[in-house]
Amino acid sequence: MNNRLKILKNVIFLCLICFYGFIDAQEITEKITVIEYQELEHQKNLIKKADKKVVDNFNKLIKKADKLLEIKPFSVVNKIGVPPSKNKHDYMSIGPYWWPNPNTSDGLPYIRKDGQINPETRNDFTDFVEKKNFISAIKTLKDAFFLSDNNKYAKKNIAFINAWFLDENTKMNPNVNYGQSVPGKSEGRCFGIIEFDGLIEVLGFLELAKYKGVLDKKTEEGMVNWFTDYSNWLKNSKLGIEESTRKNNHGTYYDVQLLSILMYLNKTVEVKEYLSTITKARIFSQIKTDGRQPLELKRTKSFSYSVMNLHGFLQLAQIGQKVGLDLWNLSSEDGRSIKKGYEFMLPFLINEKKWPYKQIKDKTSSEEKLIADLKRARKLFKEDAFDDILKKLNQK
């Protein structure tokens, strides 16, 4: 009897091991990803079908990627300027809309001209241009790697990533303490954080490279550590906390950046909790019942900023979809929602109404982005409310 009982216990024990092993395997295979495989696969299929426009774009992409194979890595230590920390490994930039003061002999303190970019903020004195070129290269090589299945593009990206984040001589420290400084006023402001929304491209490539089996363990572990440190800085530093409380697009893109990193780190529960509380409140506070976004409408490029902020909310809705939370159809009792924000923009998109707010620059690119977002919402959320508008736009 005792032997039978022992055998039965062993069988139950083995079954439990198998069961929990199955659960673990499920968690691994069902890990939520940042990268959008579906869209890339769609492009790949069109290439195989010899779609002329897609093939032409693919050839241009490969030509651009091949040129990147010949260039040196990007790094924060390449800048001419030195951060207040005296450490070139710290990222630094100057607020784009701040200009020398014409009323003082040394130009200090700088004064703000909303919407007008000071060329001084876009040169090699700071890291902004270097960072922008780095992110652009990562995206180009990531797409070329996926669409061509050629490992040379992945290897170059891994070299770029090691240089920017991990190599002791060239790495960036995991903070943005000196982003969007204002000469004569501030060594660094919370607004610099938004300059790193492009980190999503790095996250996507790392996932893709691991999936394809070309990401070495040292780089993978190093990047997990870097993003862990950076996400902790975002959540706990003075500037990170300040940016998280911004009531306009800065708050929205803080959420996009932080939650994308947390998804990469496989912190799904934290992502879902954040979306259902902080992001939910952000949507309701920024978008009015008629769909207006007052803080974006105050800007000198009000149409552009309205579209930009909605795009950030659309990204958050997509993250929500991945973790089983429907932000797209979420609405307050008085009707505030992401969808309502898009509906507000539609009459101006098809010229039924003239945009009554300030827009000091051409809004064509923002209109194109808005149209792309409407199509994306159609695809992601089966949203058919924009179909008539899209049809009218196609008739133009």
Side-chain angles (χ1 to χ4, degrees), residues 100-275:
N101 192 331
N103 299 318
T104 59
S105 58
D106 59 0
L108 300 177
Y110 275 28
I111 60 172
R112 190 168 187 267
K113 299 179 182 180
D114 188 32
Q116 300 179 49
I117 296 177
N118 176 3
E120 179 190 357
T121 68
R122 298 295 185 258
N123 57 30
D124 58 1
F125 181 79
T126 72
D127 292 306
F128 183 86
V129 174
E130 186 87 347
K131 181 268 307 176
K132 184 178 180 181
N133 291 338
F134 165 66
I135 295 297
S136 176
I138 292 294
K139 176 173 172 49
T140 296
L141 291 168
K142 178 198 73 179
D143 292 349
F145 169 51
F146 185 92
L147 296 174
S148 71
D149 290 316
N150 194 321
N151 286 356
K152 66 181 181 181
Y153 302 119
K155 289 178 180 177
K156 188 64 175 182
N157 246 359
I158 292 171
F160 280 160
I161 285 171
N162 270 281
W164 187 275
F165 296 105
L166 303 177
D167 188 279
E168 286 297 324
N169 296 317
T170 57
K171 69 180 182 181
M172 170 189 165
N173 291 330
N175 68 71
V176 192
N177 287 323
Y178 307 106
Q180 291 211 12
S181 63
V182 178
K185 280 194 173 185
S186 172
E187 292 183 343
R189 302 178 302 148
C190 67
F191 307 114
I193 291 172
I194 201 171
E195 294 178 359
F196 279 88
D197 62 325
L199 284 178
I200 294 173
E201 298 297 340
V202 177
L203 298 170
F205 170 74
L206 290 170
E207 289 179 343
L208 176 61
K210 182 177 181 179
Y211 174 72
K212 293 283 189 177
V214 297
L215 183 64
D216 62 282
K217 203 69 178 174
K218 185 178 179 181
T219 300
E220 180 185 358
E221 291 176 354
M223 290 310 300
V224 167
N225 290 335
W226 195 95
F227 277 117
T228 297
D229 291 343
Y230 180 63
S231 64
N232 287 335
W233 180 86
L234 284 175
K235 290 188 286 186
N236 302 311
S237 69
K238 179 183 176 182
L239 294 182
I241 293 171
E242 187 180 351
E243 183 76 343
S244 73
T245 64
R246 298 304 88 189
K247 301 183 184 301
N248 64 350
N249 63 83
H250 278 271
T252 305
Y253 279 88
Y254 173 91
D255 287 4
V256 173
Q257 187 177 149
L258 175 63
L259 297 181
S260 296
I261 293 170
L262 293 180
M263 279 205 302
Y264 173 73
L265 297 175
N266 207 23
K267 297 186 177 182
T268 308
V269 174
E270 186 176 348
V271 171
K272 192 168 185 176
E273 174 65 20
Y274 190 104
L275 287 170

Side-chain angles (χ1 to χ4, degrees), residues 35-56:
I35 194 170
E36 300 302 324
Y37 287 106
Q38 189 175 6
E39 180 58 33
L40 287 170
E41 285 288 359
H42 177 64
Q43 295 295 315
K44 203 169 191 176
N45 288 332
L46 290 176
I47 292 170
K48 290 177 181 177
K49 293 177 180 178
D51 181 285
K52 187 179 185 307
K53 184 178 179 180
V54 175
V55 170
D56 286 345

Side-chain angles (χ1 to χ4, degrees), residues 45 49 60 76 106 109 261 266 271 303 310 321 341 374 393:
N45 288 332
K49 293 177 180 178
K60 290 176 184 176
V76 289
D106 59 0
I261 293 170
N266 207 23
V271 171
F303 187 93
L310 286 173
Q321 186 181 59
L374 297 178
L393 291 168

